[in-house]
Amino acid sequence: MKLETDSLKSLLIHLVIVVAVLFGLALAFFYLYLPSTTNHGETITVPNLEGLHMEEIDEFLTKRHLRYEINDSTFSDEYPPLTILKQYPKPGSKVKEGRKIFISVNRIDPPTVPVPELVDRSLRNAEAVLKSNELKRGKITYRPSQFLNLVLEMKYEDEIIQSGQRIPKGSTIDLVVGDGYAQSNFAAPRLTGNEIDDARFIILGSNLEMGLVTLEGDTTGRKSIVTKQEPEAGTQVRIGDAIDLWISPVSEEDENTVEN
């Protein structure tokens, strides 16, 4: 009987020792080994890669102990070919060393899009259609026609094009439009004394174009008006002509007088 009791005690002692050892090993694994192999608590701030060229990316990320993978390509005419347009994770994110950054790269050749039908549309409508098709409106040439600002022809690289032809996305299309005969010549509106937004509204409403805007003095945070225009008010102009403006800040004394 005593022998059996001693054996049971010995077994329990061994079990306690085994459990204690296993528990100690588990603690060592989770709190010592695992953190040391996964850089527990150590993070890297993801840098901004957008706008970088692919030639720079290897060295740039290697220095920061990061990797990359191209998972998409798209096209933007605002950046050179093979520059990074998007990334994930986003800049400023916290990641582990060796994390892979997924990037979207600007294509070398832009995709093509079909030329929309613009002939017999109004100029304003044609501009909206071009924008929705990711194309740009180029120069406007006026041709005698009884219909003012009606699109008569479309041109790409000085060649007449037809709707349905495919051209690179972001291309510029020049338009030939009607001048409305007698409505093509008129006196330039008076713009001096107007603020820039009002002057722009008058110019565009007169079927003219905004030309060069020159700032004379510091206009930051101050009311500014048009002090000079070229061509001058009353000068004969044609539809589509550009008017240059000179903008100057209103003196504090004059501004107070206007407000009162």
Side-chain angles (χ1 to χ4, degrees), residues 9-198:
K9 287 182 179 180
S10 177
L11 179 60
L12 290 174
I13 291 171
H14 281 85
L15 285 175
V16 170
I17 293 173
V18 170
V19 170
V21 171
L22 291 175
F23 183 72
L25 290 174
L27 289 177
F29 177 79
F30 287 105
Y31 291 97
L32 294 177
Y33 174 76
L34 193 60
S36 67
T37 58
T38 59
N39 296 320
H40 181 71
E42 297 179 13
T43 59
I44 297 175
T45 301
V46 177
N48 187 5
L49 306 179
E50 296 177 13
L52 288 180
H53 194 275
M54 284 300 298
E55 293 179 350
E56 308 172 77
I57 194 69
D58 278 316
E59 183 178 359
F60 187 82
L61 287 182
T62 300
K63 288 181 178 179
R64 291 161 175 80
H65 306 289
L66 295 169
R67 300 176 296 151
Y68 75 92
E69 179 178 318
I70 300 174
N71 71 332
D72 186 27
S73 65
T74 183
F75 177 75
S76 171
D77 58 3
E78 298 180 3
Y79 293 92
L82 296 179
T83 53
I84 298 172
L85 301 179
K86 296 180 182 179
Q87 67 178 87
Y88 183 82
K90 295 182 179 179
S93 302
K94 301 294 184 180
V95 298
K96 300 286 187 182
E97 282 190 10
R99 171 64 188 267
K100 186 178 291 183
I101 310 298
F102 296 94
I103 59 176
S104 174
V105 180
N106 199 21
R107 295 174 55 170
I108 297 177
D109 298 315
T112 61
V113 294
V115 176
E117 180 58 83
L118 303 179
V119 175
D120 291 334
R121 292 176 179 262
S122 69
L123 176 58
R124 179 169 297 183
N125 180 259
E127 290 173 336
V129 172
L130 286 173
K131 186 176 181 180
S132 66
N133 284 271
E134 299 185 75
L135 296 169
K136 299 176 182 177
R137 192 215 77 187
K139 65 181 179 181
I140 298 174
T141 303
Y142 285 89
R143 178 183 296 173
S145 169
Q146 61 178 317
F147 302 107
L148 177 64
N149 286 334
L150 183 73
V151 178
L152 305 176
E153 285 180 349
M154 303 179 291
K155 290 187 176 182
Y156 173 64
E157 296 182 343
D158 294 326
E159 298 289 336
I160 296 176
I161 56 172
Q162 306 297 327
S163 61
Q165 290 183 230
R166 301 193 71 87
I167 59 176
K169 183 187 293 186
S171 296
T172 298
I173 294 182
D174 300 325
L175 301 176
V176 178
V177 302
D179 63 4
Y181 290 140
Q183 301 180 60
S184 59
N185 295 309
F186 57 96
R190 179 173 298 279
L191 304 171
T192 54
N194 287 289
E195 295 186 45
I196 181 66
D197 289 338
D198 294 332

